[in-house]
Amino acid sequence: MQQKRLSDSVADDMMSMIAIEKRFAPGDKLPNENELSGELNISRTTLREAIRILVANGIVEIRRGKGTYIKENVDTDNLETFGELTEAKINARDLYEMRLIFEPDAAYYATVRASETELKRILDYGMQIEQKIKAKEDRTEVEQQFHQAIVKATHNEFMEKLMPVIYQAINKGVILSTKRELAVKDTIHDHHMIMEFMKHRNPEGAKSAMKIHILHAMRELGIE
């Protein structure tokens, strides 16, 4: 299991101070760097990284020349979801690494072995994903069906047994990508590439396109 970065753990600790211990309320100023880093027993560099994480997630704001403050509009009763997002990124990293090991070769074998019916099913699901994205609708289920259709077309029962791992990764990826426009654009472009290579029965191309697709997703979701 991938370990959390220290700055992520510190950000979680600071969230606990706000959401659970209620030490700080919306609008409150945080203690200065020396005081807070001493209390948490961390370097000031790590503290700054943790604060950057909190700023990026809209929890605190830095007021130039004044210090760091809890944002006025933060709902401190619902901040437990922040920790879940951090966990989602860590879990997604492991899951996407599994996809990177497994799915490019699945695309290769599916391109070689798929029947015409199976290939048509894969291409149909690919088009449905694009339609869902353009309509801003949840694509989780059809994305799962697309990747499942590829794995089924390998005609390898052991590959099929790994599908639950792929489902988990897709779920996490869709959740993390909802607010990242580039990740969504990459998904459309990458699926086109995969589908074109499969349609023309080019297994090496399909393998490379799938690898690029997963690497793009990892980069855009911040889970490299």
Side-chain angles (χ1 to χ4, degrees):
M1 177 69 185
Q2 185 87 24
Q3 293 298 308
K4 270 191 184 182
R5 292 180 307 167
L6 181 56
S7 54
D8 287 325
S9 294
V10 172
D12 284 349
D13 289 342
M14 293 173 70
M15 288 298 304
S16 294
M17 290 179 178
I18 299 165
I20 298 169
E21 298 170 29
K22 305 290 186 188
R23 278 183 54 186
F24 308 110
D28 283 358
K29 181 181 178 180
L30 292 179
N32 66 42
E33 258 187 17
N34 286 337
E35 189 180 334
L36 199 49
S37 60
E39 179 182 342
L40 295 169
N41 197 27
I42 55 169
S43 70
R44 286 188 295 171
T45 302
T46 301
L47 178 62
R48 286 178 199 139
E49 288 172 2
I51 286 172
R52 274 199 290 270
I53 293 168
L54 297 180
V55 169
N57 283 276
I59 311 301
V60 303
E61 61 183 349
I62 297 168
R63 298 179 189 170
R64 192 180 293 276
K66 293 185 177 180
T68 303
Y69 291 78
I70 311 297
K71 290 190 83 167
E72 297 279 359
N73 59 350
V74 166
D75 180 358
T76 56
D77 292 327
N78 290 305
L79 288 183
E80 64 274 6
T81 54
F82 173 82
E84 290 169 12
L85 181 59
T86 306
E87 288 297 331
K89 285 191 176 183
I90 292 165
N91 293 339
R93 187 182 295 117
D94 288 346
L95 291 165
Y96 269 76
E97 282 179 3
M98 276 298 297
R99 289 187 71 181
L100 198 55
I101 292 164
F102 163 65
E103 282 198 86
D105 281 312
Y108 178 98
Y109 288 113
T111 303
V112 173
R113 297 172 179 169
S115 68
E116 288 304 313
T117 302
E118 287 172 328
L119 186 57
K120 183 179 183 304
R121 187 177 298 126
I122 291 165
L123 299 177
D124 284 348
Y125 284 138
M127 293 306 296
Q128 286 179 44
I129 290 169
E130 188 172 334
Q131 289 162 6
K132 292 275 188 189
I133 289 173
K134 288 179 176 174
K136 298 193 184 316
E137 295 173 358
D138 180 22
R139 69 180 192 273
T140 307
E141 187 176 344
V142 70
E143 183 106 32
Q144 288 178 347
Q145 290 169 330
F146 174 73
H147 288 277
Q148 182 184 39
I150 291 173
V151 172
K152 277 186 172 296
T154 66
H155 297 210
N156 183 313
E157 63 178 288
F158 294 103
M159 282 193 176
E160 289 190 46
K161 291 186 188 305
L162 284 172
M163 279 315 297
V165 174
I166 306 307
Y167 285 166
Q168 284 186 58
I170 289 167
N171 289 348
K172 301 249 182 221
V174 170
I175 290 164
L176 292 170
S177 74
T178 48
K179 294 179 181 174
R180 292 180 183 261
E181 200 62 36
L182 185 55
V184 171
K185 285 179 182 172
D186 275 346
T187 296
I188 293 175
H189 177 263
D190 293 348
H191 276 121
H192 271 167
M193 273 204 311
I194 295 165
M195 289 157 63
E196 279 300 305
F197 283 123
M198 294 191 76
K199 187 162 64 177
H200 292 98
R201 297 288 185 175
N202 182 332
E204 288 292 348
K207 178 177 178 176
S208 297
M210 183 65 80
K211 183 175 182 181
I212 289 166
H213 172 46
I214 296 166
L215 287 171
H216 271 162
M218 292 175 77
R219 182 193 69 203
E220 297 304 335
L221 302 175
I223 55 174
E224 293 173 294

